[in-house]
Structures are given as C-alpha cells and as structure tokens.
Amino acid sequence: MTRDSITYQFDYEVSFAYELGFTGSYERAPETHDIEVLSIWDNYEDKPLTGYEFSSMANEVEEYINDYLNEL
C-alpha cells in the first residue's frame, strides 16, 4: 500500500494508506479504491483524534479521499 496525507477542511491533517482500484473500461466495471485512514490530526486543537471522534471522522474522510484518488 502507498502512504499519503491530505488536509481536510483546513482543520485536519489526514494520513492514509491506499491501493488504487481499476478505473474501468468498456469490458470491465470500475473497482473501488482500498483506503485505510491511519491518523487524523486536529490542527485547531493541536492533538490527534481518537476513539469515537476518529471513527466518525474517518468514515467522512474516506469519501473525500476517494474523490482525491479519482483525480490522480
């Protein structure tokens, strides 16, 4: 898996690992990207998200990361 990081909503630094899925062709449907959010750092409070905060934010961020990977 490849590691990368992005800024999400200007308030969070997100580190993640991913494998790109097949983007699709005439004969074959596209596959989803395999994304694993590793950490989320809250820039406003200067601390990492943990527990429930991390879990709920990770689900939201995965959609954003998927769109980001689609543009690569």
Side-chain angles (χ1 to χ4, degrees):
M1 293 187 101
T2 305
R3 293 180 77 146
D4 200 355
S5 64
I6 58 169
T7 301
Y8 179 67
Q9 296 183 348
F10 302 106
D11 293 332
Y12 303 98
E13 291 296 323
V14 180
S15 296
F16 62 97
Y18 69 92
E19 282 188 28
L20 293 177
F22 181 68
T23 56
S25 68
Y26 182 75
E27 293 94 19
R28 192 168 146 203
E31 298 171 355
T32 59
H33 305 304
D34 183 17
I35 301 168
E36 179 182 353
V37 177
L38 303 174
S39 68
I40 302 174
W41 184 266
D42 187 336
N43 292 328
Y44 182 72
E45 295 188 21
D46 200 32
K47 67 175 189 171
L49 296 184
T50 58
Y52 178 75
E53 286 180 319
F54 175 82
S55 297
S56 61
M57 180 64 77
N59 292 334
E60 182 180 328
V61 169
E62 281 184 9
E63 292 179 31
Y64 181 79
I65 293 170
N66 192 52
D67 292 340
Y68 166 77
L69 294 174
N70 284 337
E71 294 176 10
L72 290 180

